Amino acid sequence: MPIQITKLDSTQADFKKSLDALLAFEASTDEAIERAVAGILADVKARGDAAVLEYTNRFDRIPNGGAASMAAFDIPEAELQAALAAIPEAQRNALHIAAQRIRVFHERQKQELNGFTYTEADGTVLGQKVTPLDRVGIYVPGGKAAYPSSVLMNAIPAHVAGVGEITMVVPTPDGVKNQMVLAAAAIAGVTRVITIGGAQAVAALAHGTETIQPVDKIVGPGNAYVAAAKRRVFGIVGIDMIAGPSEILIICDGTTDPDWVAMDLFSQAEHDELAQAILLCPDADYIAKVEASINKLLPAMPRAETIRTSLTDRGALVKVRDMAEACAIANSIAAEHLEISAENPQQWADQIRHAGAMFLGRFSSESLGDYCCGPNHVLPTSRTARFSSPLGVYDFQKRSSIIHVSEAGAQTLGKVAAELAYGEGLQAHARSAELRLK
Amino acid sequence: MPIQITKLDSTQADFKKSLDALLAFEASTDEAIERAVAGILADVKARGDAAVLEYTNRFDRIPNGGAASMAAFDIPEAELQAALAAIPEAQRNALHIAAQRIRVFHERQKQELNGFTYTEADGTVLGQKVTPLDRVGIYVPGGKAAYPSSVLMNAIPAHVAGVGEITMVVPTPDGVKNQMVLAAAAIAGVTRVITIGGAQAVAALAHGTETIQPVDKIVGPGNAYVAAAKRRVFGIVGIDMIAGPSEILIICDGTTDPDWVAMDLFSQAEHDELAQAILLCPDADYIAKVEASINKLLPAMPRAETIRTSLTDRGALVKVRDMAEACAIANSIAAEHLEISAENPQQWADQIRHAGAMFLGRFSSESLGDYCCGPNHVLPTSRTARFSSPLGVYDFQKRSSIIHVSEAGAQTLGKVAAELAYGEGLQAHARSAELRLK
């Protein structure tokens, strides 16, 4: 059965409305999950390790009656190294190459942020100091959605930033450990790996327990319980964005092999039935070719049903007037992944203001970026690229202002500050400045 | 009556516990406010201007039966300029000097973040593009806590970042406009000023209405309703941190005039009864002198009662072993404002990893930084300086990754990506990479 994918045309009167309806996604809040998570957080905060142990034994169905103590959940470095040695050589090499490339890119990010100071004529020094976070927690999902690439993408930027301790938590449902995830941890610069997960792991990282030091920030994807827990501990610790469904937007000028574009749409759609894959193209004939490729290639895909549902419910093939209009639409969509599959793609990239990552030219498939180009694959979803950035070294650094006023500087600045402070009715502020006047 | 301020000594056995108790602050969630805010947000989203108009007329007690339309809430540029011309010359000059200095500092921040690209041997180009946000909303409180300095500190970084539209909202309870706030808006680079406030203003900025374009990020302080509304629209738009009570931590080696240190503690305590002012000093005699100064200076302060309550309930004078221990304690407190009032302060500043802003040397009173040194006065509170930064140009910029893989690059990267994608069970990812192989 050919796939029923939404087709839009930017010249239609109701185009904007139809596009908005397609893009609309609101994460629902599940009250039962919220209540459960609030209870787990409070319990772990109050009882520490004992609570983490109980929840982990129960929720992850730890075999043989469960672990007797938290020590059982620690994976020693030797076990990580053994996993790295045990996986197939091709996988090990691929992990090493990916890790190395991710490290090189993120080192460039680190170079950009050095802080600064400058000295004014009267000797006053102003500046900004950049420091890494002390301790970070990396959440890695367990079970079938356990992705070694996410271990690399979350841990390496923290490591490059100079974070002192990187604690990775990963649940092991039924006690089963994913060897490729452990192998990735072995090369990503992780300090400690603990096989706990869910809201109880988030609580342990945020509040600390007898055996787990509290961290300063928690990053990494997780299920609805993990997302709810991260939202609730935000403020006590930093968190990364709560990710929505993954998205790809492809702008194509009609010069790329339609099979390539179809497969790129699949590579997003296979993640999840809620994932969104959209093509913008000025060439109606070419759109028809991509649709034919979709129908030709779909049956052979192992995850065909997920792809079919995703493309049917949330995908679209959009005919646009021209490439410039495609860029304008792309800015309004602010997609997580934007492929510009075109001749001379830079001319169009220059028109893009909002996108998590831009993949330029027909050889830059999103999947290359997901694994091994170097830039991070943790990207802003659901139009948040309008105001937020890929995960990066900067997420594991923060700034402090430096203000060193000279005696001469205090004379001029003191009068200005006092004037404004009196204007705001803050007399102690004014007096504090005036006391420094000669 | 002498003030009853907590005294601690770092050699006490229960010192850490006592300090933690003093620092503990948890913002309570008020269910009535949460419900009210949820209702207002939904109503403004559904009914737009009509809802904003009704709430504003009612909550801000707009005189003469209320405004007839949203147009009445727009302040034309001429009125802002008139306010700037009408305020006393000394105030106008002070605002201009402060704005200019804030602009210079934030221009330095902007210079630091340029993005980058680099080209690999096979022609693959990787990089990071930095772009400003399109539209930002600045929330400015009305009534007695209306601070023109906050207008400058929130709007100027956005303007320096290159944000296209800066919409400032400021409620005018009983229809009364604060002329100094309007004057500050006239010189801060604000695009539009609308006299609305509360959750209804946050809703209008986040969702847009018939007369207000939706923004991409909302920054600025507000009351509990505003804070709750910002939390709820986070994700639809970006927000800055939700600020807790203001804090100052002073490390003094005992060489600064004790009156200066006492007044610096007051300048924080006068903000709010929940504000926190703490002194760390290795010299017991000097601590006694500061306490004497506090008792001497307090009666003459117009906000003496607020200062007294703040210092009594949340302040402390802490005797430490030495300056190095003071720095270690300061790192654990991660204060919003840290004064190092000492000889050769840089040696101690080098030991500080966590602070919103550091004020070095005895001439750098916090109040100078609050108004006119140049660095931002919007700073992380409640220990969040462990993982977050002062408000800055970077809060109004975001990054997009650039990935332009050459045909040659796709050959080597494609094999690595496919290997890892198969390992993760994502076959369309693997095929998408493999289609680019020759």
Side-chain angles (χ1 to χ4, degrees):
Chain A
M1 188 180 67
I3 198 162
Q4 297 297 316
I5 187 166
T6 301
K7 294 203 197 67
L8 299 177
D9 186 314
S10 66
T11 60
Q12 289 167 253
D14 62 349
F15 171 67
K16 193 178 174 315
K17 204 174 145 193
S18 305
L19 184 65
D20 285 348
L22 188 76
L23 296 172
F25 176 79
E26 227 162 308
S28 57
T29 304
D30 184 320
E31 284 307 323
I33 291 178
E34 289 295 326
R35 267 197 308 278
V37 165
I40 293 167
L41 292 178
D43 197 19
V44 171
K45 189 177 176 188
R47 297 198 300 128
D49 281 343
V52 177
L53 186 65
E54 284 172 29
Y55 288 120
T56 304
N57 282 334
R58 192 195 326 162
F59 295 147
D60 293 340
R61 304 171 302 277
I62 303 301
N64 307 318
S69 79
M70 287 292 290
F73 298 136
D74 254 294
I75 302 194
E77 173 66 21
E79 188 175 343
L80 303 181
Q81 293 299 335
L84 183 61
I87 61 173
E89 188 181 359
Q91 275 186 4
R92 183 167 53 251
N93 288 344
L95 278 179
H96 274 300
I97 292 169
Q100 176 58 18
R101 293 185 59 88
I102 295 165
R103 198 166 280 124
V104 166
F105 182 84
H106 288 81
E107 289 283 358
R108 281 301 306 255
Q109 284 185 336
K110 189 182 184 187
Q111 284 167 33
E112 201 178 35
L113 210 59
N114 294 312
F116 57 83
T117 59
Y118 59 92
T119 305
E120 302 191 308
D122 63 19
T124 294
V125 177
L126 300 170
Q128 190 166 280
K129 180 175 179 172
V130 178
T131 40
L133 276 60
D134 283 349
R135 280 193 288 267
V136 162
I138 310 267
Y139 192 96
V140 176
K144 61 182 175 161
Y147 294 145
S149 58
S150 289
V151 175
L152 303 182
M153 292 290 184
N154 281 278
I156 291 174
H159 192 245
V160 168
V163 171
E165 276 183 49
I166 303 172
T167 301
M168 172 175 140
V169 295
V170 55
T172 53
D174 302 307
V176 177
K177 296 170 184 170
N178 180 316
Q179 294 303 303
M180 215 169 155
V181 163
L182 300 193
I187 61 175
V190 169
T191 316
R192 182 179 177 192
V193 180
I194 312 174
T195 57
I196 60 175
Q200 58 275 16
V202 173
L205 290 170
H207 296 297
T209 70
E210 298 89 324
T211 64
I212 299 173
Q213 287 259 37
V215 301
D216 300 307
K217 187 165 188 168
I218 301 174
V219 300
N223 64 19
Y225 290 85
V226 173
K230 282 171 64 183
R231 269 188 195 277
R232 281 174 179 267
V233 298
F234 175 58
I236 301 166
V237 296
I239 61 167
D240 56 349
M241 295 288 287
I242 307 285
S246 196
E247 315 143 8
I248 193 169
L249 178 68
I250 304 179
I251 296 177
C252 185
D253 62 0
T255 63
T256 305
D257 184 329
D259 283 359
W260 295 16
V261 168
M263 193 60 77
D264 292 358
L265 294 170
F266 289 1
S267 75
Q268 200 54 237
E270 77 172 338
H271 269 298
D272 181 350
E273 290 169 356
L274 288 171
Q276 185 155 57
I278 296 176
L279 170 65
L280 305 180
C281 177
D283 179 343
D285 291 344
Y286 181 79
I287 291 176
K289 283 183 196 159
V290 171
E291 190 176 14
S293 290
I294 288 173
N295 284 306
K296 176 185 74 181
L297 296 169
L298 184 60
M301 300 312 300
R303 298 167 80 102
E305 279 321 297
T306 303
I307 296 171
R308 177 183 291 275
T309 306
S310 161
L311 290 183
T312 306
D313 292 352
R314 303 205 71 220
L317 304 175
V318 182
K319 161 83 170 64
V320 293
R321 289 181 177 83
D322 51 34
M323 290 291 282
E325 186 185 43
C327 292
I329 294 170
N331 280 324
S332 74
I333 293 178
E336 182 190 14
H337 304 98
L338 173 66
E339 279 188 18
I340 303 181
S341 200
E343 296 285 346
N344 304 317
Q346 190 61 49
Q347 63 183 315
W348 310 120
D350 290 342
Q351 299 187 25
I352 299 298
R353 295 192 312 281
H354 311 302
M358 290 187 238
F359 297 80
L360 310 187
R362 66 179 64 97
F363 287 99
S364 305
S365 71
E366 185 218 304
S367 61
L368 299 182
D370 284 344
Y371 291 106
C372 59
C373 287
N376 213 286
H377 78 192
V378 181
L379 296 165
T381 60
S382 307
R383 299 192 65 232
T384 59
R386 291 175 297 129
F387 56 83
S388 55
S389 302
L391 188 72
V393 170
Y394 38 80
D395 287 303
F396 302 101
Q397 298 174 311
K398 72 290 189 302
R399 302 154 172 103
S400 301
S401 300
I402 308 278
I403 295 173
H404 192 163
V405 178
S406 67
E407 184 169 359
Q411 309 310 308
T412 50
L413 295 176
K415 288 171 199 135
V416 174
E419 181 66 39
L420 294 171
Y422 283 124
E424 293 185 352
L426 295 174
Q427 297 87 359
H429 282 67
R431 293 294 303 140
S432 165
E434 287 174 341
L435 285 177
R436 272 82 176 178
L437 300 179
K438 275 182 189 153
Chain B
M1 187 181 68
I3 198 161
Q4 297 297 314
I5 186 165
T6 301
K7 294 203 198 67
L8 300 176
D9 187 315
S10 67
T11 61
Q12 289 167 252
D14 62 348
F15 172 68
K16 195 179 173 312
K17 205 174 143 193
S18 305
L19 184 65
D20 285 348
L22 188 77
L23 297 172
F25 176 81
E26 227 165 306
S28 56
T29 304
D30 183 319
E31 283 308 323
I33 291 178
E34 289 295 327
R35 267 197 308 278
V37 166
I40 293 168
L41 292 178
D43 196 20
V44 171
K45 189 176 175 187
R47 295 198 298 130
D49 281 343
V52 177
L53 186 64
E54 284 172 29
Y55 287 120
T56 304
N57 282 335
R58 192 194 328 163
F59 295 147
D60 293 339
R61 304 172 301 278
I62 302 302
N64 307 319
S69 79
M70 287 293 288
F73 297 136
D74 254 292
I75 302 195
E77 173 65 22
E79 188 175 344
L80 302 181
Q81 292 299 336
L84 183 61
I87 61 172
E89 188 182 359
Q91 275 188 1
R92 183 168 53 251
N93 288 344
L95 278 178
H96 274 300
I97 293 168
Q100 176 58 19
R101 293 185 58 88
I102 295 166
R103 199 166 281 125
V104 166
F105 182 84
H106 288 82
E107 290 281 0
R108 280 302 305 256
Q109 284 185 335
K110 189 182 184 186
Q111 284 167 33
E112 202 178 35
L113 210 60
N114 293 312
F116 58 83
T117 58
Y118 58 93
T119 305
E120 302 190 307
D122 63 19
T124 294
V125 177
L126 300 170
Q128 190 165 279
K129 178 175 180 174
V130 178
T131 40
L133 277 60
D134 283 349
R135 279 192 288 267
V136 162
I138 310 267
Y139 191 96
V140 176
K144 60 181 175 164
Y147 293 145
S149 57
S150 290
V151 175
L152 303 182
M153 292 290 183
N154 281 278
I156 291 174
H159 192 244
V160 168
V163 170
E165 274 182 52
I166 302 172
T167 302
M168 172 174 140
V169 295
V170 55
T172 52
D174 302 306
V176 178
K177 296 170 184 171
N178 180 314
Q179 294 303 303
M180 216 170 154
V181 163
L182 301 192
I187 62 176
V190 169
T191 315
R192 182 180 178 192
V193 179
I194 312 174
T195 57
I196 59 176
Q200 58 276 16
V202 174
L205 290 171
H207 297 297
T209 69
E210 298 89 324
T211 63
I212 299 174
Q213 286 261 35
V215 302
D216 301 306
K217 187 165 189 168
I218 301 174
V219 300
N223 64 18
Y225 290 85
V226 174
K230 281 170 64 183
R231 271 190 194 277
R232 281 175 179 267
V233 298
F234 175 57
I236 301 167
V237 296
I239 61 168
D240 55 351
M241 295 287 287
I242 305 287
S246 196
E247 314 143 8
I248 191 169
L249 178 68
I250 304 180
I251 296 177
C252 184
D253 62 0
T255 63
T256 306
D257 185 328
D259 282 359
W260 296 15
V261 168
M263 193 60 76
D264 293 358
L265 294 169
F266 288 1
S267 75
Q268 199 55 237
E270 76 173 340
H271 269 298
D272 181 350
E273 292 170 356
L274 289 171
Q276 185 154 57
I278 296 176
L279 170 66
L280 305 180
C281 177
D283 179 343
D285 291 343
Y286 180 78
I287 292 176
K289 283 183 196 158
V290 171
E291 190 175 14
S293 290
I294 288 173
N295 284 305
K296 176 186 73 180
L297 296 169
L298 184 60
M301 301 311 301
R303 297 167 80 103
E305 280 320 297
T306 304
I307 295 171
R308 178 183 292 275
T309 306
S310 161
L311 289 183
T312 306
D313 292 353
R314 303 207 69 219
L317 304 175
V318 183
K319 162 84 172 62
V320 294
R321 288 180 178 84
D322 51 33
M323 289 291 283
E325 187 185 43
C327 292
I329 294 170
N331 279 325
S332 75
I333 293 178
E336 181 190 15
H337 305 99
L338 173 66
E339 280 188 17
I340 303 181
S341 200
E343 298 284 347
N344 303 319
Q346 190 60 50
Q347 62 183 315
W348 310 120
D350 290 343
Q351 299 187 23
I352 300 299
R353 296 192 312 281
H354 310 302
M358 290 186 239
F359 297 80
L360 309 187
R362 65 179 65 97
F363 287 99
S364 305
S365 70
E366 186 218 305
S367 60
L368 300 182
D370 284 344
Y371 291 106
C372 59
C373 286
N376 212 286
H377 78 191
V378 181
L379 297 166
T381 60
S382 307
R383 300 190 67 231
T384 59
R386 291 175 298 129
F387 55 83
S388 55
S389 301
L391 187 71
V393 171
Y394 37 80
D395 287 301
F396 302 102
Q397 298 174 311
K398 72 288 189 301
R399 303 157 172 100
S400 301
S401 299
I402 308 278
I403 296 172
H404 192 163
V405 178
S406 67
E407 182 168 2
Q411 309 310 307
T412 51
L413 295 175
K415 289 173 197 129
V416 174
E419 181 67 38
L420 294 171
Y422 284 124
E424 293 185 351
L426 296 174
Q427 297 88 358
H429 282 67
R431 292 294 303 139
S432 165
E434 287 174 341
L435 286 177
R436 270 85 175 176
L437 300 178
K438 274 180 192 158

